Coordinates of all heavy atoms in Angstrom, one line a residue:
M1 N -7.7 22.4 12.7 CA -8.5 21.2 12.2 C -7.9 20.7 10.7 O -7.9 21.5 9.7 CB -10.0 21.5 12.0 CG -10.8 20.5 11.4 SD -11.7 19.7 12.8 CE -12.7 18.6 11.8
P2 N -7.4 19.6 10.6 CA -6.8 19.2 9.4 C -8.0 19.0 8.2 O -9.1 18.6 8.5 CB -6.1 17.8 9.6 CG -6.8 17.3 11.0 CD -7.2 18.5 11.7
T3 N -7.6 19.1 7.0 CA -8.4 19.0 5.9 C -8.5 17.4 5.6 O -7.7 16.7 6.2 CB -8.0 19.6 4.7 OG1 -6.8 19.1 4.3 CG2 -7.9 21.2 4.9
D4 N -9.5 17.1 4.8 CA -9.6 15.6 4.4 C -8.3 15.0 3.9 O -7.8 14.0 4.2 CB -10.6 15.4 3.3 CG -12.1 15.5 4.0 OD1 -12.1 15.5 5.3 OD2 -13.1 15.6 3.4
L5 N -7.7 15.9 2.8 CA -6.4 15.5 2.3 C -5.2 15.4 3.4 O -4.4 14.4 3.3 CB -6.1 16.4 1.1 CG -4.9 15.9 0.3 CD1 -5.0 14.5 -0.4 CD2 -4.6 16.9 -0.9
E6 N -5.3 16.3 4.2 CA -4.1 16.2 5.3 C -4.4 15.0 6.0 O -3.4 14.3 6.4 CB -4.2 17.5 6.1 CG -3.6 18.7 5.4 CD -3.9 20.1 6.1 OE1 -4.8 20.1 6.9 OE2 -3.3 21.1 5.6
L7 N -5.6 14.8 6.4 CA -5.9 13.6 7.1 C -5.5 12.2 6.4 O -5.0 11.4 7.0 CB -7.4 13.5 7.5 CG -7.9 14.1 8.9 CD1 -9.4 14.0 8.9 CD2 -7.3 13.4 10.0
A8 N -5.8 12.3 5.2 CA -5.4 11.0 4.3 C -3.8 10.9 4.3 O -3.4 9.8 4.5 CB -6.0 11.3 2.8
M9 N -3.1 12.0 4.2 CA -1.7 11.9 4.2 C -1.1 11.4 5.6 O -0.3 10.5 5.7 CB -1.1 13.3 3.9 CG -1.2 13.7 2.4 SD -1.2 15.4 2.1 CE 0.6 15.7 2.5
Q10 N -1.8 11.9 6.7 CA -1.4 11.6 8.0 C -1.7 10.1 8.2 O -0.9 9.4 8.8 CB -2.3 12.3 8.9 CG -1.6 12.8 10.3 CD -2.6 13.7 11.0 OE1 -3.8 13.4 11.3 NE2 -2.2 15.0 11.2
T11 N -2.7 9.7 7.7 CA -3.2 8.1 7.8 C -2.1 7.3 7.2 O -1.8 6.3 7.6 CB -4.5 8.0 7.4 OG1 -5.5 8.8 8.1 CG2 -5.1 6.5 7.5
L12 N -1.8 7.7 5.8 CA -0.9 6.9 5.0 C 0.5 6.8 6.0 O 1.0 5.7 5.9 CB -0.6 7.7 3.8 CG 0.1 7.0 2.7 CD1 -0.6 5.7 2.3 CD2 0.4 7.9 1.4
I13 N 1.0 7.8 6.4 CA 2.2 7.8 7.1 C 2.2 6.9 8.5 O 3.0 6.1 8.7 CB 2.6 9.2 7.4 CG1 3.1 10.1 6.2 CG2 3.9 9.3 8.4 CD1 3.2 11.6 6.5
A14 N 1.0 7.1 9.2 CA 0.9 6.4 10.3 C 0.6 5.1 10.2 O 1.1 4.2 11.0 CB -0.4 7.1 11.2
T15 N -0.1 4.6 9.1 CA -0.3 3.3 8.7 C 1.0 2.6 8.4 O 1.3 1.4 8.8 CB -1.3 3.1 7.6 OG1 -2.4 3.8 8.0 CG2 -1.5 1.7 7.3
F16 N 1.8 3.2 7.5 CA 3.2 2.7 7.3 C 3.9 2.3 8.6 O 4.4 1.2 8.8 CB 4.0 3.6 6.3 CG 5.3 3.1 6.0 CD1 5.5 2.2 5.1 CD2 6.4 3.5 6.8 CE1 6.8 1.7 4.7 CE2 7.6 3.0 6.5 CZ 7.8 2.2 5.5
H17 N 4.1 3.3 9.4 CA 4.8 3.2 10.6 C 4.3 2.2 11.6 O 5.1 1.6 12.4 CB 5.1 4.5 11.3 CG 6.1 5.4 10.4 ND1 7.5 5.0 10.3 CD2 5.9 6.4 9.6 CE1 8.0 6.0 9.6 NE2 7.2 6.8 9.0
K18 N 3.1 2.0 11.6 CA 2.4 1.0 12.5 C 3.0 -0.3 12.2 O 3.2 -1.1 13.1 CB 0.8 1.1 12.3 CG 0.0 0.2 13.2 CD -1.4 0.4 12.8 CE -2.2 -0.8 13.1 NZ -3.8 -0.6 12.6
Y19 N 3.1 -0.6 10.9 CA 3.7 -2.0 10.5 C 5.2 -1.9 10.5 O 5.8 -3.0 10.8 CB 3.1 -2.4 9.2 CG 1.6 -2.6 9.4 CD1 0.7 -1.6 9.2 CD2 1.2 -3.9 9.9 CE1 -0.7 -1.8 9.5 CE2 -0.4 -4.1 10.0 CZ -1.1 -2.9 9.9 OH -2.5 -3.2 10.1
S20 N 5.8 -0.9 10.0 CA 7.4 -0.9 9.8 C 8.0 -1.0 11.2 O 9.1 -1.6 11.2 CB 7.7 0.3 9.0 OG 7.7 1.4 9.8
G21 N 7.4 -0.7 12.3 CA 8.0 -0.6 13.4 C 8.0 -1.9 14.2 O 8.5 -2.0 15.4
K22 N 7.4 -3.0 13.6 CA 7.3 -4.3 14.3 C 8.5 -5.0 14.6 O 8.8 -5.7 15.5 CB 6.3 -5.1 13.7 CG 4.7 -4.5 13.8 CD 3.8 -5.4 13.2 CE 2.4 -5.0 13.6 NZ 1.4 -5.8 13.1
E23 N 9.3 -5.0 13.5 CA 10.7 -5.8 13.6 C 11.9 -5.1 12.8 O 11.4 -4.4 11.8 CB 10.4 -7.2 13.3 CG 10.2 -7.4 11.8 CD 10.0 -8.9 11.3 OE1 10.0 -9.7 12.1 OE2 10.0 -9.1 10.0
G24 N 13.1 -5.5 13.1 CA 14.1 -4.9 12.3 C 14.1 -3.4 12.2 O 13.9 -2.7 13.2
D25 N 14.5 -2.9 11.0 CA 14.6 -1.5 10.9 C 13.1 -1.0 11.0 O 12.2 -1.3 10.3 CB 15.0 -1.2 9.4 CG 15.3 0.2 9.1 OD1 14.5 1.0 9.6 OD2 16.2 0.5 8.3
R26 N 13.0 0.0 11.9 CA 11.7 0.6 12.1 C 11.1 1.5 11.0 O 9.9 1.8 11.1 CB 11.7 1.3 13.5 CG 12.6 2.4 13.6 CD 12.8 2.9 15.1 NE 11.5 3.6 15.4 CZ 11.5 4.6 16.4 NH1 12.6 5.0 16.9 NH2 10.4 5.3 16.6
Y27 N 11.9 1.8 10.1 CA 11.6 2.8 9.0 C 11.4 2.0 7.7 O 11.1 2.7 6.7 CB 12.6 3.9 8.9 CG 12.7 4.8 10.1 CD1 13.9 4.7 10.8 CD2 11.6 5.5 10.7 CE1 14.0 5.5 12.0 CE2 11.7 6.2 11.7 CZ 13.0 6.1 12.4 OH 13.0 7.0 13.6
K28 N 11.4 0.7 7.8 CA 11.2 -0.2 6.6 C 10.3 -1.4 6.9 O 10.4 -1.8 8.0 CB 12.6 -0.6 6.0 CG 13.4 0.5 5.5 CD 14.8 0.1 5.1 CE 15.7 1.1 4.6 NZ 17.0 0.7 4.2
L29 N 9.6 -1.7 5.9 CA 8.8 -3.0 6.0 C 9.5 -4.2 5.5 O 10.0 -4.2 4.4 CB 7.5 -2.8 5.1 CG 6.5 -1.8 5.5 CD1 5.5 -1.5 4.3 CD2 5.8 -2.1 6.7
S30 N 9.7 -5.2 6.4 CA 10.2 -6.4 6.0 C 9.1 -7.2 5.3 O 7.9 -6.6 5.3 CB 10.5 -7.3 7.2 OG 9.4 -7.6 8.0
K31 N 9.4 -8.3 4.8 CA 8.4 -9.1 4.0 C 7.1 -9.3 4.9 O 6.0 -9.3 4.6 CB 9.0 -10.4 3.5 CG 7.9 -11.1 2.6 CD 8.6 -12.3 1.9 CE 7.7 -13.2 1.2 NZ 8.2 -14.4 0.7
R32 N 7.5 -9.9 6.2 CA 6.5 -10.2 7.2 C 5.6 -8.9 7.5 O 4.4 -9.0 7.6 CB 7.1 -10.8 8.4 CG 6.0 -11.4 9.2 CD 6.3 -12.1 10.4 NE 7.9 -12.2 10.7 CZ 8.4 -12.8 11.8 NH1 7.7 -13.3 12.7 NH2 9.6 -12.8 11.9
E33 N 6.3 -7.8 7.7 CA 5.5 -6.5 8.0 C 4.6 -6.2 6.8 O 3.4 -5.7 7.1 CB 6.4 -5.5 8.4 CG 7.2 -5.7 9.7 CD 8.4 -4.6 9.9 OE1 9.0 -4.2 8.9 OE2 8.6 -4.4 11.1
L34 N 5.1 -6.4 5.7 CA 4.3 -6.0 4.4 C 3.1 -6.9 4.4 O 2.0 -6.4 4.0 CB 5.1 -6.1 3.2 CG 4.5 -5.7 1.9 CD1 4.2 -4.2 1.9 CD2 5.4 -6.1 0.7
K35 N 3.3 -8.2 4.7 CA 2.2 -9.1 4.6 C 1.2 -8.9 5.7 O 0.0 -8.8 5.4 CB 2.8 -10.6 5.0 CG 1.9 -11.7 4.5 CD 2.6 -13.0 4.7 CE 2.0 -14.0 4.0 NZ 2.9 -15.3 3.9
D36 N 1.6 -8.4 6.9 CA 0.6 -8.0 7.9 C -0.1 -6.8 7.5 O -1.3 -6.6 7.7 CB 1.4 -7.6 9.2 CG 1.8 -8.9 10.0 OD1 1.5 -10.0 9.6 OD2 2.6 -8.7 11.0
L37 N 0.6 -5.8 6.8 CA -0.2 -4.6 6.4 C -1.2 -4.9 5.3 O -2.3 -4.6 5.4 CB 1.0 -3.6 5.9 CG 0.5 -2.3 5.5 CD1 1.6 -1.2 5.6 CD2 -0.1 -2.3 4.0
F38 N -0.8 -5.8 4.4 CA -1.7 -6.1 3.3 C -3.0 -6.8 4.0 O -4.1 -6.6 3.6 CB -1.1 -7.1 2.3 CG -0.5 -6.4 1.1 CD1 0.8 -6.1 0.9 CD2 -1.4 -5.8 0.2 CE1 1.3 -5.4 -0.1 CE2 -1.0 -5.0 -0.9 CZ 0.4 -4.8 -1.0
R39 N -2.6 -7.8 4.8 CA -3.8 -8.6 5.4 C -4.7 -7.8 6.2 O -6.0 -7.9 6.1 CB -3.3 -9.6 6.4 CG -2.7 -10.9 5.7 CD -2.7 -12.1 6.7 NE -2.2 -13.3 6.0 CZ -1.2 -14.1 6.6 NH1 -0.8 -13.7 7.8 NH2 -0.8 -15.1 5.9
S40 N -4.3 -6.7 6.9 CA -5.1 -6.0 7.7 C -5.7 -4.7 7.1 O -6.8 -4.3 7.3 CB -4.4 -5.5 9.1 OG -3.8 -6.6 9.7
E41 N -4.8 -4.0 6.2 CA -5.3 -2.9 5.6 C -5.8 -2.9 4.1 O -6.4 -2.0 3.8 CB -4.1 -1.9 5.7 CG -3.4 -1.7 7.0 CD -4.3 -1.1 8.1 OE1 -5.2 -0.3 7.7 OE2 -4.0 -1.3 9.3
L42 N -5.4 -4.0 3.4 CA -5.7 -4.2 2.0 C -6.2 -5.5 1.7 O -5.9 -6.2 0.8 CB -4.6 -3.8 1.1 CG -4.2 -2.3 1.0 CD1 -2.8 -2.2 0.3 CD2 -5.2 -1.5 0.3
P43 N -7.2 -6.0 2.7 CA -7.5 -7.5 2.5 C -8.2 -7.8 1.2 O -7.9 -8.9 0.7 CB -8.6 -7.6 3.6 CG -9.1 -6.4 4.0 CD -8.0 -5.3 3.7
C44 N -8.9 -6.9 0.5 CA -9.5 -7.2 -0.8 C -8.4 -7.4 -1.8 O -8.6 -8.3 -2.6 CB -10.5 -6.2 -1.2 SG -11.9 -6.1 0.0
F45 N -7.5 -6.5 -1.7 CA -6.5 -6.6 -2.8 C -5.7 -7.9 -2.7 O -5.4 -8.6 -3.7 CB -5.5 -5.5 -2.5 CG -4.3 -5.4 -3.5 CD1 -4.5 -5.0 -4.8 CD2 -3.0 -5.9 -3.2 CE1 -3.5 -5.0 -5.7 CE2 -2.1 -5.8 -4.0 CZ -2.2 -5.4 -5.3
L46 N -5.4 -8.4 -1.5 CA -4.7 -9.7 -1.4 C -5.6 -10.9 -1.7 O -5.1 -11.9 -2.3 CB -4.2 -9.8 0.1 CG -3.0 -10.6 0.3 CD1 -1.8 -10.2 -0.6 CD2 -2.5 -10.7 1.8
N47 N -6.9 -10.7 -1.5 CA -7.9 -11.8 -1.8 C -7.9 -12.2 -3.4 O -8.2 -13.3 -3.7 CB -9.1 -11.6 -1.3 CG -9.3 -11.9 0.2 OD1 -8.4 -12.5 0.7 ND2 -10.3 -11.3 0.9
V48 N -7.8 -11.1 -4.1 CA -7.9 -11.2 -5.5 C -6.6 -11.9 -6.2 O -6.6 -12.4 -7.2 CB -8.2 -10.0 -6.4 CG1 -9.6 -9.5 -6.0 CG2 -7.2 -9.0 -6.2
Q49 N -5.5 -11.9 -5.3 CA -4.2 -12.5 -5.8 C -4.4 -13.9 -5.5 O -4.3 -14.4 -4.3 CB -3.0 -11.9 -5.1 CG -3.0 -10.4 -5.1 CD -2.5 -9.8 -6.4 OE1 -1.7 -10.5 -7.1 NE2 -3.0 -8.7 -6.8
K50 N -4.4 -14.8 -6.5 CA -4.5 -16.4 -6.3 C -3.2 -16.9 -5.8 O -3.1 -18.0 -5.4 CB -5.1 -17.0 -7.5 CG -6.4 -16.5 -8.0 CD -7.6 -16.9 -7.1 CE -8.9 -16.4 -7.5 NZ -9.9 -16.1 -6.4
D51 N -2.2 -16.2 -6.2 CA -0.8 -16.7 -5.9 C -0.5 -16.8 -4.5 O -0.7 -15.9 -3.7 CB 0.3 -15.8 -6.6 CG 1.6 -16.3 -6.8 OD1 2.0 -17.1 -5.9 OD2 2.2 -16.0 -7.8
A52 N 0.2 -18.0 -4.1 CA 0.4 -18.1 -2.6 C 1.5 -17.2 -2.1 O 1.5 -16.8 -0.9 CB 0.8 -19.7 -2.3
D53 N 2.4 -16.9 -3.0 CA 3.6 -16.0 -2.7 C 3.4 -14.6 -3.3 O 4.3 -13.9 -3.7 CB 4.9 -16.5 -3.2 CG 6.0 -15.7 -2.5 OD1 5.8 -15.2 -1.4 OD2 7.1 -15.6 -3.2
A54 N 2.1 -14.1 -3.3 CA 1.7 -12.9 -3.8 C 2.5 -11.7 -3.2 O 3.1 -10.9 -3.8 CB 0.1 -12.6 -3.8
V55 N 2.6 -11.8 -1.9 CA 3.3 -10.7 -1.2 C 4.7 -10.6 -1.5 O 5.4 -9.6 -1.8 CB 3.2 -10.9 0.4 CG1 3.9 -9.9 1.1 CG2 1.8 -10.6 0.8
G56 N 5.4 -11.9 -1.7 CA 6.8 -12.1 -2.2 C 7.1 -11.3 -3.5 O 7.9 -10.6 -3.6
K57 N 5.9 -11.6 -4.4 CA 6.1 -10.9 -5.7 C 5.9 -9.4 -5.7 O 6.6 -8.7 -6.3 CB 5.2 -11.5 -6.7 CG 5.6 -13.0 -7.0 CD 4.7 -13.7 -8.1 CE 5.4 -15.2 -8.2 NZ 4.4 -16.0 -8.9
I58 N 5.0 -9.1 -4.9 CA 4.7 -7.6 -4.8 C 5.8 -6.9 -4.2 O 6.4 -5.8 -4.5 CB 3.5 -7.3 -3.8 CG1 2.1 -7.9 -4.6 CG2 3.4 -5.8 -3.6 CD1 1.0 -8.1 -3.6
M59 N 6.5 -7.5 -3.2 CA 7.6 -7.0 -2.5 C 8.9 -6.9 -3.5 O 9.5 -5.9 -3.4 CB 8.2 -8.0 -1.4 CG 9.3 -7.8 -0.6 SD 8.9 -7.4 1.1 CE 10.5 -6.6 1.5
K60 N 9.0 -7.8 -4.3 CA 10.1 -7.7 -5.3 C 9.9 -6.5 -6.3 O 10.7 -5.9 -6.7 CB 10.2 -9.0 -6.1 CG 11.4 -9.7 -6.2 CD 11.4 -11.0 -6.9 CE 12.9 -11.4 -7.2 NZ 13.0 -12.6 -7.9
D61 N 8.6 -6.4 -6.7 CA 8.3 -5.2 -7.5 C 8.5 -3.9 -6.9 O 8.8 -3.0 -7.5 CB 6.8 -5.3 -8.0 CG 6.6 -6.4 -9.1 OD1 7.5 -7.0 -9.7 OD2 5.4 -6.8 -9.2
L62 N 8.1 -3.9 -5.6 CA 8.2 -2.6 -4.8 C 9.7 -2.2 -4.5 O 9.9 -1.0 -4.5 CB 7.4 -2.8 -3.6 CG 5.9 -2.7 -3.7 CD1 5.4 -2.9 -2.4 CD2 5.4 -1.5 -4.5
D63 N 10.3 -3.4 -4.3 CA 11.7 -3.0 -3.6 C 12.7 -2.6 -4.8 O 13.5 -3.3 -5.2 CB 12.2 -4.3 -3.1 CG 13.6 -4.2 -2.4 OD1 14.0 -3.0 -2.1 OD2 14.2 -5.2 -2.2
S64 N 12.7 -1.2 -5.1 CA 13.3 -0.8 -6.2 C 14.8 -0.6 -5.9 O 15.7 -0.6 -6.8 CB 12.8 0.6 -6.7 OG 12.5 1.4 -5.6
N65 N 15.2 -0.5 -4.7 CA 16.7 -0.5 -4.3 C 17.3 -1.8 -4.0 O 18.4 -1.9 -3.5 CB 17.0 0.8 -3.3 CG 16.4 0.3 -2.0 OD1 15.7 -0.7 -1.8 ND2 16.7 1.1 -1.0
D66 N 16.4 -2.8 -4.0 CA 16.9 -4.2 -3.9 C 17.5 -4.5 -2.5 O 18.5 -5.2 -2.3 CB 18.0 -4.7 -4.9 CG 17.4 -4.9 -6.1 OD1 16.2 -5.5 -6.2 OD2 17.9 -4.7 -7.2
D67 N 17.1 -3.8 -1.4 CA 17.5 -4.1 0.0 C 16.7 -5.2 0.7 O 16.8 -5.3 1.9 CB 17.7 -2.9 0.7 CG 16.5 -2.2 1.1 OD1 15.4 -2.5 0.5 OD2 16.5 -1.1 1.8
E68 N 15.7 -5.7 -0.1 CA 14.8 -6.8 0.6 C 13.9 -6.1 1.6 O 13.4 -6.9 2.5 CB 15.6 -7.9 1.0 CG 16.2 -8.6 -0.2 CD 16.8 -9.9 0.1 OE1 16.6 -10.4 1.2 OE2 17.2 -10.6 -0.9
E69 N 13.7 -4.8 1.7 CA 12.8 -4.1 2.6 C 12.0 -3.0 1.8 O 12.5 -2.7 0.6 CB 13.5 -3.4 3.7 CG 14.4 -4.4 4.5 CD 14.2 -4.4 6.0 OE1 13.1 -4.5 6.3 OE2 15.2 -3.9 6.7
V70 N 10.9 -2.6 2.2 CA 10.1 -1.6 1.6 C 10.1 -0.4 2.4 O 9.5 -0.3 3.6 CB 8.6 -2.2 1.3 CG1 7.8 -1.1 0.8 CG2 8.6 -3.3 0.3
D71 N 10.7 0.7 1.8 CA 10.8 1.9 2.5 C 9.5 2.7 2.2 O 8.7 2.3 1.4 CB 12.0 2.6 2.3 CG 12.3 3.1 0.9 OD1 11.3 3.2 0.2 OD2 13.4 3.2 0.5
F72 N 9.4 3.9 2.8 CA 8.2 4.7 2.7 C 7.9 5.1 1.2 O 6.9 5.1 0.8 CB 8.2 5.9 3.7 CG 6.8 6.6 3.6 CD1 5.7 6.0 4.1 CD2 6.6 7.7 2.7 CE1 4.4 6.6 4.1 CE2 5.4 8.3 2.7 CZ 4.4 7.9 3.4
H73 N 9.1 5.5 0.6 CA 9.0 5.9 -0.9 C 8.6 4.7 -1.8 O 7.7 5.0 -2.6 CB 10.5 6.3 -1.3 CG 10.9 7.7 -0.8 ND1 11.3 8.7 -1.6 CD2 11.0 8.0 0.5 CE1 11.6 9.6 -0.7 NE2 11.5 9.3 0.5
E74 N 9.0 3.6 -1.4 CA 8.6 2.3 -2.3 C 7.1 2.1 -1.9 O 6.3 1.8 -2.9 CB 9.4 1.2 -2.0 CG 10.9 1.4 -2.6 CD 12.0 0.4 -1.8 OE1 11.6 -0.2 -0.7 OE2 13.0 0.3 -2.4
F75 N 6.7 2.2 -0.7 CA 5.4 2.0 -0.3 C 4.4 3.1 -0.9 O 3.3 2.7 -1.4 CB 5.2 2.0 1.2 CG 3.9 2.0 1.8 CD1 3.1 0.8 1.8 CD2 3.2 3.1 2.4 CE1 1.9 0.7 2.3 CE2 2.0 3.0 3.0 CZ 1.2 1.8 2.9
A76 N 4.8 4.3 -0.9 CA 4.0 5.4 -1.4 C 3.8 5.1 -2.9 O 2.7 5.5 -3.5 CB 4.6 6.7 -1.1
A77 N 4.7 4.5 -3.6 CA 4.5 4.4 -5.0 C 3.5 3.3 -5.3 O 2.7 3.4 -6.2 CB 5.9 3.8 -5.6
L78 N 3.4 2.3 -4.4 CA 2.4 1.4 -4.4 C 1.0 2.0 -4.3 O 0.0 1.7 -5.0 CB 2.6 0.2 -3.4 CG 1.3 -0.7 -3.1 CD1 1.2 -1.8 -4.3 CD2 1.5 -1.4 -1.8
V79 N 0.9 2.7 -3.2 CA -0.4 3.3 -2.8 C -0.9 4.2 -3.9 O -2.0 4.3 -4.2 CB -0.3 4.1 -1.5 CG1 -1.5 4.8 -1.1 CG2 -0.1 3.1 -0.3
T80 N 0.1 5.0 -4.5 CA -0.2 5.9 -5.6 C -0.8 5.1 -6.8 O -1.8 5.4 -7.4 CB 1.0 6.8 -6.1 OG1 1.4 7.3 -4.9 CG2 0.6 7.7 -7.3
S81 N -0.1 4.1 -7.2 CA -0.6 3.1 -8.3 C -2.0 2.5 -8.0 O -2.9 2.8 -8.8 CB 0.4 1.9 -8.4 OG 1.7 2.4 -8.8
L82 N -2.1 2.1 -6.7 CA -3.5 1.5 -6.4 C -4.6 2.6 -6.4 O -5.7 2.3 -6.9 CB -3.4 0.9 -5.0 CG -2.7 -0.5 -4.9 CD1 -2.7 -0.9 -3.5 CD2 -3.4 -1.4 -5.8
T83 N -4.3 3.7 -6.0 CA -5.2 5.0 -5.9 C -5.6 5.3 -7.4 O -6.7 5.6 -7.5 CB -4.7 6.1 -5.1 OG1 -4.2 5.6 -3.9 CG2 -5.6 7.2 -5.0
M84 N -4.6 5.4 -8.3 CA -4.9 5.7 -9.7 C -5.8 4.7 -10.3 O -6.7 5.0 -11.0 CB -3.6 5.8 -10.4 CG -2.9 7.1 -10.1 SD -1.5 7.5 -11.2 CE -0.3 6.4 -10.9
L85 N -5.6 3.4 -10.0 CA -6.5 2.3 -10.5 C -7.9 2.5 -9.9 O -8.9 2.3 -10.7 CB -6.0 0.9 -10.0 CG -4.8 0.4 -10.9 CD1 -4.3 -1.0 -10.2 CD2 -5.2 0.1 -12.3
C86 N -8.0 2.8 -8.7 CA -9.3 3.0 -8.1 C -10.0 4.2 -8.7 O -11.2 4.1 -9.0 CB -9.1 3.3 -6.6 SG -8.7 1.8 -5.7
N87 N -9.3 5.3 -9.0 CA -9.8 6.4 -9.7 C -10.3 6.1 -11.0 O -11.3 6.4 -11.5 CB -8.8 7.6 -9.7 CG -9.4 8.8 -10.2 OD1 -10.4 9.3 -9.7 ND2 -8.8 9.4 -11.3
D88 N -9.5 5.3 -11.8 CA -9.8 4.9 -13.1 C -11.2 4.1 -13.0 O -12.1 4.4 -13.9 CB -8.9 4.0 -13.8 CG -7.5 4.7 -14.2 OD1 -7.7 6.1 -14.1 OD2 -6.6 4.1 -14.5
F89 N -11.3 3.3 -12.1 CA -12.5 2.5 -11.8 C -13.6 3.3 -11.6 O -14.9 3.2 -12.2 CB -12.3 1.4 -10.9 CG -13.4 0.5 -10.5 CD1 -13.5 -0.6 -11.4 CD2 -14.2 0.6 -9.5 CE1 -14.5 -1.5 -11.3 CE2 -15.2 -0.3 -9.3 CZ -15.5 -1.4 -10.3
F90 N -13.4 4.3 -10.7 CA -14.5 5.2 -10.3 C -15.0 6.1 -11.4 O -16.2 6.3 -11.6 CB -13.9 6.1 -9.2 CG -14.7 7.2 -8.6 CD1 -15.7 6.9 -7.8 CD2 -14.5 8.5 -8.9 CE1 -16.6 7.9 -7.3 CE2 -15.3 9.5 -8.4 CZ -16.4 9.2 -7.6
E91 N -14.0 6.6 -12.3 CA -14.4 7.5 -13.4 C -15.2 6.6 -14.4 O -16.2 7.1 -15.0 CB -13.3 8.0 -14.1 CG -12.6 9.2 -13.3 CD -11.5 9.8 -13.9 OE1 -11.1 9.4 -15.1 OE2 -10.8 10.7 -13.4
E92 N -14.9 5.3 -14.7 CA -15.6 4.5 -15.6 C -17.0 4.2 -15.1 O -17.9 4.4 -15.9 CB -14.8 3.2 -15.7 CG -13.7 3.1 -16.7 CD -14.1 3.5 -18.1 OE1 -15.1 3.1 -18.7 OE2 -13.5 4.5 -18.6
A93 N -17.1 4.0 -13.7 CA -18.5 3.7 -13.2 C -19.4 5.1 -13.3 O -20.5 5.0 -13.7 CB -18.3 3.5 -11.7
L94 N -18.7 6.2 -13.2 CA -19.6 7.4 -13.3 C -19.9 7.6 -14.8 O -21.0 8.0 -15.1 CB -18.8 8.6 -12.9 CG -18.6 8.8 -11.4 CD1 -17.7 10.2 -11.0 CD2 -20.0 9.0 -10.8
K95 N -19.0 7.3 -15.7 CA -19.4 7.5 -17.2 C -20.5 6.6 -17.5 O -21.4 7.1 -18.3 CB -18.2 7.2 -18.0 CG -17.1 8.3 -18.1 CD -15.9 7.9 -18.9 CE -14.8 9.0 -18.6 NZ -13.4 8.4 -18.9
K96 N -20.4 5.4 -17.0 CA -21.4 4.3 -17.3 C -22.9 4.9 -16.8 O -23.9 4.6 -17.4 CB -21.1 3.0 -16.7 CG -20.3 2.2 -17.6 CD -20.1 0.8 -17.1 CE -18.9 0.2 -17.8 NZ -18.1 -0.8 -17.1
Q97 N -22.8 5.6 -15.6 CA -24.0 6.1 -15.1 C -24.4 7.4 -15.8 O -25.5 8.0 -15.5 CB -23.9 6.4 -13.6 CG -23.8 5.2 -12.8 CD -23.4 5.5 -11.3 OE1 -23.5 6.7 -10.9 NE2 -23.0 4.5 -10.5
G98 N -23.6 7.9 -16.7 CA -23.8 9.1 -17.4 C -23.7 10.4 -16.6 O -24.2 11.4 -16.8
K99 N -22.9 10.3 -15.6 CA -22.7 11.4 -14.6 C -21.4 12.2 -14.9 O -21.1 13.1 -14.2 CB -22.7 11.0 -13.2 CG -24.1 10.5 -12.8 CD -24.1 10.1 -11.3 CE -25.5 9.7 -10.9 NZ -25.4 9.1 -9.5
C100 N -20.6 11.7 -15.9 CA -19.3 12.3 -16.1 C -19.1 12.6 -17.6 O -19.6 11.9 -18.4 CB -18.3 11.2 -15.6 SG -16.7 12.0 -15.2
Ligands
CA1 CA1 10.6 -3.0 10.1
CA2 CA1 13.8 -1.3 -0.7

């Protein structure tokens, strides 16, 4: 029986491959695959971006090796950053409630 953290890691990997396998290199996300992933898996994050080409800009930021695709390492960096932001928000909320 996997632990919660093991399940989270498994979900992260499976979610990446669910989208990366749709076209082109099955181990990398094209811009379209990245867009699909954001739309389905991180809809709130995309909604706060007012820019029409938000995904294009995110892609540029993520694509550290400039191959115009997002590999798992690049994707994991994004998830880590977002998770840290969520944790900061969570800790702030707890402090305001006087629970931390
Ligand atoms: Ca792909
Ligand atoms: Ca890349």
